[in-house]
Amino acid sequence: MEKAGELGNFTSKDIVSTLKYKMENPEVEIGKDYDDEKSEILRYNIITFLKRAYPESDVSNIELNFYVYGSEDLVFHISDFEEVDGKVVYKNGNLPVMKKEEKDKSDGKEQEESSEDKKEDNIENKEEKESKDKEEKKEIDPAEKQENLEKAQDGYENKEKAEIAAKKALESDFANNDYDIIQGPNGRWFYNLKVS
């Protein structure tokens, strides 16, 4: 007979039934899913705990280790933590303090100013270039556009004619700036406008 409470809430019959099932089905792992799920929840809680403790750092979990990457790198093992009343606690007292990077304030301001100047220059240059491109490309007559489209769909007799047509099409195309020339299965030549 069993002593009261020695097997928890399970009876002797429950234990014998479980052992019999395990002997008949040795490939089945009993209780593993529960332990894995519990372990995953603990890992997630540890990661959350470390992210709160080190907000400026990246935290990752590989196997049983937790890596904190910041101004210095820290490594913790899963056994360094325990869950008490639904909260993760670091067993070794207080978490190590990560040294903060000290930046020279004057250098930071100079870098910010120079980067802002560069951004403004880049925006101005880009706007000038776009306006030049738009000026260079002109809208062609709709009838001529339709005629060119029909020729392009039928293909061209030779590669040279296809190239001439592609260059002409680029003059009025605001989106594309390059082209490919290909020969179709019928022996005719076609162009394909593209952005390079």
Side-chain angles (χ1 to χ4, degrees):
M1 290 293 266
E2 66 180 79
K3 292 183 181 176
E6 188 175 306
L7 301 175
N9 294 332
F10 302 103
T11 64
S12 297
K13 186 176 179 181
D14 293 334
I15 301 298
V16 171
S17 297
T18 302
L19 290 174
K20 182 179 175 188
Y21 176 80
K22 181 65 178 163
M23 291 174 69
E24 291 173 354
N25 304 296
E27 70 281 351
V28 176
E29 296 184 28
I30 299 173
K32 184 165 171 58
D33 292 338
Y34 173 76
D35 292 339
D36 286 348
E37 186 176 314
K38 188 175 179 183
S39 173
E40 287 300 314
I41 293 170
L42 177 61
R43 289 170 195 243
Y44 173 79
N45 290 339
I46 292 172
I47 290 171
T48 305
F49 174 76
L50 290 172
K51 284 182 179 178
R52 286 186 187 144
Y54 303 106
E56 300 292 321
S57 304
D58 293 324
V59 179
S60 65
N61 170 230
I62 302 173
E63 295 290 324
L64 299 176
N65 293 323
F66 296 87
Y67 299 91
V68 180
Y69 302 105
S71 58
E72 61 181 289
D73 298 338
L74 303 174
V75 180
F76 299 97
H77 192 268
I78 196 169
S79 63
D80 294 337
F81 302 92
E82 64 183 345
E83 202 161 6
V84 178
D85 297 327
K87 294 183 179 180
V88 174
V89 178
Y90 183 60
K91 289 181 182 178
N92 303 333
N94 294 330
L95 285 169
V97 176
M98 187 174 290
K99 297 176 185 173
K100 293 186 178 182
E101 292 181 27
E102 294 183 20
K103 295 181 181 177
D104 189 9
K105 292 181 181 178
S106 62
D107 289 344
K109 287 181 182 177
E110 290 173 9
Q111 288 177 353
E112 285 179 20
E113 290 174 3
S114 65
S115 66
E116 286 177 11
D117 291 341
K118 288 179 185 177
K119 285 179 185 177
E120 289 175 6
D121 290 342
N122 287 340
I123 290 171
E124 289 173 5
N125 290 339
K126 189 175 181 181
E127 288 174 355
E128 288 175 14
K129 187 177 178 184
E130 286 177 359
S131 65
K132 282 183 181 179
D133 288 344
K134 287 182 180 178
E135 288 173 8
E136 290 174 6
K137 295 187 178 191
K138 55 186 179 233
E139 190 67 35
I140 62 172
D141 181 41
E144 186 180 349
K145 196 172 192 178
Q146 182 64 29
E147 182 183 330
N148 291 342
L149 180 62
E150 289 172 5
K151 285 181 182 177
Q153 289 174 345
D154 293 336
Y156 297 90
E157 295 173 2
N158 56 41
K159 189 174 183 179
E160 291 77 26
K161 288 184 180 181
E163 285 182 4
I164 292 169
K167 288 177 183 176
K168 188 173 183 181
L170 279 177
E171 289 176 3
S172 63
D173 191 317
F174 295 101
N176 299 302
N177 61 0
D178 202 3
Y179 62 88
D180 288 328
I181 304 293
I182 55 173
Q183 188 173 19
N186 60 359
R188 310 262 309 161
W189 292 87
F190 299 89
Y191 68 85
N192 183 25
L193 299 180
K194 65 179 184 177
V195 177
S196 60

